[in-house]
Amino acid sequence: ICGNNFSSSSPAKFSAVAGYDLCTGWGTPAGTALINALAGPSEVLLVTVPAFAASGHLGGPFTPISVSCTLTNGGATGVTWSAAKTQTWTTLSASGGTLAAGATTTVTWSISSGANSLAAGTYADTLTFTNATSGVAQSHGMSLAITGPPTITSASPLPAGTAGSAYSQTLTASGGVTLYAWSIAA
């Protein structure tokens, strides 16, 4: 066996044997295991989730109502995945499955009718996709902004007009939204 490290002061110490070298402390490398550890897992779950920021008035409707999330297995072997959300007012079209190597699937994350009973305010949900094979998880957030009823901020005054004169009126609500506008030509 080569690799012995003998000297005149230690003629019997530090001898190398198959599988272990006392001098370096290294054993015989397990080549396949080392390469696999350095290369990473053979299954890779790639998740694409578009930005999801919805808004609307009390009772809905909300826009956008949903987004499509894409899951792709970028690895050489099948991958098992799961999905979980934190709020009851959202839904998922699927909560788990198995993807073959190179396969893609779509999961739709939607605002459910449960959001129609929420009070005015800003709400958040988190969607987490987990690669059950490797245990790696990816989380994505969304927000829902619900506004209350409009508040009238301006109204053109009613004129003391004369018969046959032109007239117009505009009613504007919070956020600069025109609730109605009309006019009468002379």
Side-chain angles (χ1 to χ4, degrees):
I1 297 190
C2 62
N4 290 332
N5 196 12
F6 298 141
S7 71
S8 59
S9 62
S10 61
K13 295 183 180 176
F14 307 115
S15 59
V17 296
Y20 185 75
D21 180 341
L22 184 61
C23 206
T24 63
W26 285 79
T28 302
T32 303
L34 177 62
I35 290 169
N36 289 342
L38 293 174
S42 60
E43 77 290 327
V44 179
L45 183 63
L46 305 170
V47 179
T48 304
V49 178
F52 194 5
S55 62
H57 294 289
L58 284 171
F62 303 107
T63 305
I65 195 71
S66 65
V67 295
S68 294
C69 311
T70 305
L71 285 70
T72 303
N73 182 354
T77 62
V79 62
T80 301
W81 62 273
S82 64
K85 57 188 189 51
T86 58
Q87 298 296 331
T88 58
W89 47 266
T90 61
T91 60
L92 296 173
S93 61
S95 61
T98 301
L99 281 174
T104 298
T105 192
T106 301
V107 174
T108 303
W109 188 13
S110 303
I111 298 172
S112 71
S113 61
N116 295 344
S117 61
L118 295 173
T122 302
Y123 300 87
D125 190 17
T126 301
L127 173 59
T128 302
F129 288 100
T130 303
N131 177 338
T133 307
S134 68
V136 174
Q138 302 174 48
S139 295
H140 304 273
M142 67 85 65
S143 64
L144 172 61
I146 301 175
T147 56
T151 304
I152 300 200
T153 56
S154 69
S156 53
L158 293 172
T162 342
S165 62
Y167 173 73
S168 67
Q169 182 162 26
T170 303
L171 185 61
T172 307
S174 52
V177 176
T178 300
L179 296 178
Y180 76 85
W182 61 275
S183 63
I184 299 174

